Amino acid sequence: MGTLENMDINNIANSNGRITKEEAREKIYKDKNIEKAIKEGVENFLDNIELKKYSSESGAYSEYEYLNNFVLITTEVLDNGYILSDIHIDVNMIVNDYFLNADNKKEKYIALNNNYLIGLNLKFFLKNIEDDIEDIQVRYFSIYGFSDNKK
């Protein structure tokens, strides 16, 4: 046994082997699998609600630009090793579509150009802070606001 001056506070917090919220948050911000999962989830979500409004026969497609990094709102570490996190992210979605001009040739135009503030939830299992984050579930999407950039 040592004196209080020699004790490491972090070792006390982790003495039960449980990952702390701070460790989980740091791991989420550093992990490239998280960023990739968020972007894939956001793009699938927006394609399902916005892109499907345009004709796939004409060749409509979407492009995405992320206006900043995602922001962690909350993080919960459950006893069974699962971590839940609420995220906000700003994304610009452009939908390009085509129409037939007077010469009966396809001409590309921007059908949609919106910025979205999207909230979502992550769920993944992480028993050891040194492990890679895998099997990430991106779920519970909400659009908190959007702006039309075509004006």
Side-chain angles (χ1 to χ4, degrees), residues 44-67:
N44 287 335
F45 172 71
L46 287 174
D47 282 350
N48 284 328
I49 64 167
E50 293 294 346
L51 182 60
K52 74 177 187 180
K53 295 176 185 175
Y54 301 91
S55 173
S56 61
E57 293 173 9
S58 67
Y61 64 95
S62 57
E63 297 175 344
Y64 293 93
E65 178 185 358
Y66 292 86
L67 305 176

Side-chain angles (χ1 to χ4, degrees), residues 9-24 75-84 126-130:
I9 299 297
N10 292 325
N11 281 343
I12 293 171
N14 290 325
S15 63
N16 63 359
R18 187 170 177 208
I19 297 170
T20 67
K21 285 184 185 184
E22 292 77 21
E23 289 173 323
T75 302
E76 294 297 324
V77 179
L78 306 178
D79 289 334
N80 60 4
Y82 280 96
I83 297 177
L84 304 175
L126 187 65
K127 198 65 170 171
N128 184 337
I129 197 67
E130 303 303 322

Side-chain angles (χ1 to χ4, degrees), residues 18 21 24-25 28 34 72-87 120-126 136-137 139-140:
R18 187 170 177 208
K21 285 184 185 184
R25 291 175 69 86
I28 290 168
I34 292 282
L72 279 170
I73 304 303
T74 63
T75 302
E76 294 297 324
V77 179
L78 306 178
D79 289 334
N80 60 4
Y82 280 96
I83 297 177
L84 304 175
S85 229
D86 291 323
I87 306 283
L120 56 105
N121 179 271
L122 300 177
K123 179 182 177 184
F124 58 90
F125 182 79
L126 187 65
I136 304 160
Q137 296 177 32
R139 57 200 194 146
Y140 306 127

Side-chain angles (χ1 to χ4, degrees), residues 85-96:
S85 229
D86 291 323
I87 306 283
H88 285 174
I89 191 162
D90 290 309
V91 62
N92 175 249
M93 177 187 196
I94 297 175
V95 173
N96 296 292

